[in-house]
């Protein structure tokens, strides 16, 4: 079993839709949770960063962490064609002191005009 | 403010050869990590360098080695290349001032082993 599970998709939505992306994990030591966006043949770009449980909002993006369920989500409101990319969740345990990130497989998102 | 830079962009090697990839961290960052991303997969942690020493290592064989220089730039070396080493190699940097757990990635070096 992988430490981080993420549905690879692909996920296709119409422009303006609300998108929900999710990851589950098994390691209860994970404390730091990140979402990265990766365009084709590019490096991952940090979108959101959350420590422990709770919600964090940044513009059209909202990240949620539920440590009791070992489940994290990223919501994208009013999705745009420019949001079409692969979204990667990543996690780190405090004992790794911010070093080793464990990634999900990535979810491929396509937003159709 | 320059972000993380990597060179070369693309590289083609044959089995058994050796390769060196290079990374310059984001300005103000002193810690560099390397990741391997196979097609359709998430990045996998290779190792991390801080103060010119390897601090953490993932589940990669000794054929993978690295170095960090006094200016914080880093190299990844892979010896005795295998076909399975074909991947996108990503460098990520972070700093210890404030938000030290956020890592920023470069564009990657795409390595093809034939």
């Amino acid at each position: 079993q992988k430490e981080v599970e993420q549905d690879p998709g692909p996920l296709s939505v119409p422009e303006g839709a609300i998108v929900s992306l999710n990851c589950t994990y098994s390691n209860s030591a994970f404390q730091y949770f990140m979402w990265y966006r990766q365009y084709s043949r590019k490096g991952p770009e940090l979108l959101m960063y959350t420590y422990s449980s709770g919600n964090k909002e940044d513009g059209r993006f909202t990240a949620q962490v539920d440590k009791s369920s070992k489940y994290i989500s990223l919501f994208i409101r009013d999705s745009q064609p420019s949001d079409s990319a692969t979204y990667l969740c990543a996690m780190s345990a405090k004992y790794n002191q911010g070093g080793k990130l464990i990634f999900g497989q990535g979810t491929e998102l396509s937003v159709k005009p | 403010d320059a972000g993380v830079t990597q060179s070369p962009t693309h590289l083609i090697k044959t089995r058994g050869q050796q390769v060196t990839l290079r990374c310059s961290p984001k300005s103000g960052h002193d810690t560099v990590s390397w990741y391997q991303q196979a097609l359709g997969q998430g990045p996998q942690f290779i190792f991390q360098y801080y103060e010119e020493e390897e601090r953490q290592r993932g589940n990669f064989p000794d054929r993978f080695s690295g170095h960090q220089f006094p200016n914080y730039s880093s190299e990844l070396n892979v010896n005795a290349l295998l076909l399975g080493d074909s991947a996108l190699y990503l460098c990520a940097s972070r700093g210890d001032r404030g938000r030290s757990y956020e890592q920023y990635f470069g564009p990657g070096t795409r390595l093809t082993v034939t």
Side-chain angles (χ1 to χ4, degrees):
Chain A
Q1 183 188 4
K2 293 182 179 179
E3 279 190 283
V4 179
E5 298 278 359
Q6 184 176 8
D7 186 340
L11 180 62
S12 183
V13 301
E15 183 175 355
I18 296 175
V19 176
S20 172
L21 304 167
N22 311 294
C23 288
T24 58
Y25 63 94
S26 57
N27 188 345
S28 58
F30 287 147
Q31 296 270 11
Y32 301 91
F33 304 92
M34 284 137 281
W35 285 95
Y36 285 86
R37 177 173 63 195
Q38 186 173 27
Y39 291 113
S40 181
R41 308 184 81 81
K42 302 288 186 183
E45 170 195 7
L46 181 63
L47 276 178
M48 301 285 285
Y49 158 76
T50 310
Y51 170 70
S52 194
S53 286
N55 295 354
K56 186 172 184 179
E57 187 172 321
D58 184 2
R60 297 185 296 111
F61 299 90
T62 299
Q64 288 185 352
V65 175
D66 182 349
K67 290 191 70 181
S68 62
S69 301
K70 296 189 178 68
Y71 187 87
I72 70 170
S73 300
L74 177 71
F75 297 95
I76 307 174
R77 291 182 298 281
D78 187 25
S79 56
Q80 303 295 310
S82 59
D83 294 328
S84 298
T86 296
Y87 289 80
L88 297 154
C89 63
M91 308 176 189
S92 181
K94 191 172 184 180
Y95 57 73
N96 278 322
Q97 297 178 4
K100 179 180 180 179
L101 291 180
I102 307 297
F103 282 85
Q105 183 178 352
T107 299
E108 185 182 347
L109 171 68
S110 177
V111 181
K112 303 295 186 184
Chain B
D1 178 21
V4 179
T5 60
Q6 292 186 244
S7 63
T9 305
H10 297 91
L11 207 50
I12 299 175
K13 292 285 189 178
T14 57
R15 279 180 298 175
Q17 285 189 315
Q18 179 264 344
V19 68
T20 298
L21 310 181
R22 295 175 176 83
C23 170
S24 290
K26 185 178 169 66
S27 178
H29 286 185
D30 56 9
T31 304
V32 172
S33 299
W34 287 92
Y35 291 80
Q36 180 195 66
Q37 186 177 24
L39 198 62
Q41 301 296 317
Q44 283 198 294
F45 178 78
I46 302 175
F47 41 53
Q48 182 181 77
Y49 277 84
Y50 172 65
E51 291 186 330
E52 302 180 50
E53 288 189 15
E54 183 182 295
R55 299 291 178 169
Q56 294 185 55
R57 189 177 184 92
N59 189 26
F60 279 80
D62 292 344
R63 298 187 297 109
F64 290 77
S65 63
H67 189 77
Q68 185 179 35
F69 299 94
N71 66 352
Y72 309 123
S73 67
S74 178
E75 287 182 350
L76 165 66
N77 301 292
V78 187
N79 294 322
L81 285 167
L82 304 173
L83 294 179
D85 295 332
S86 295
L88 180 68
Y89 287 86
L90 295 161
C91 171
S93 74
R94 69 176 179 94
D96 278 328
R97 303 184 202 125
R99 309 165 95 173
S100 62
Y101 290 89
E102 296 180 12
Q103 296 193 34
Y104 294 86
F105 283 81
T109 294
R110 186 162 299 279
L111 173 64
T112 302
V113 182
T114 62

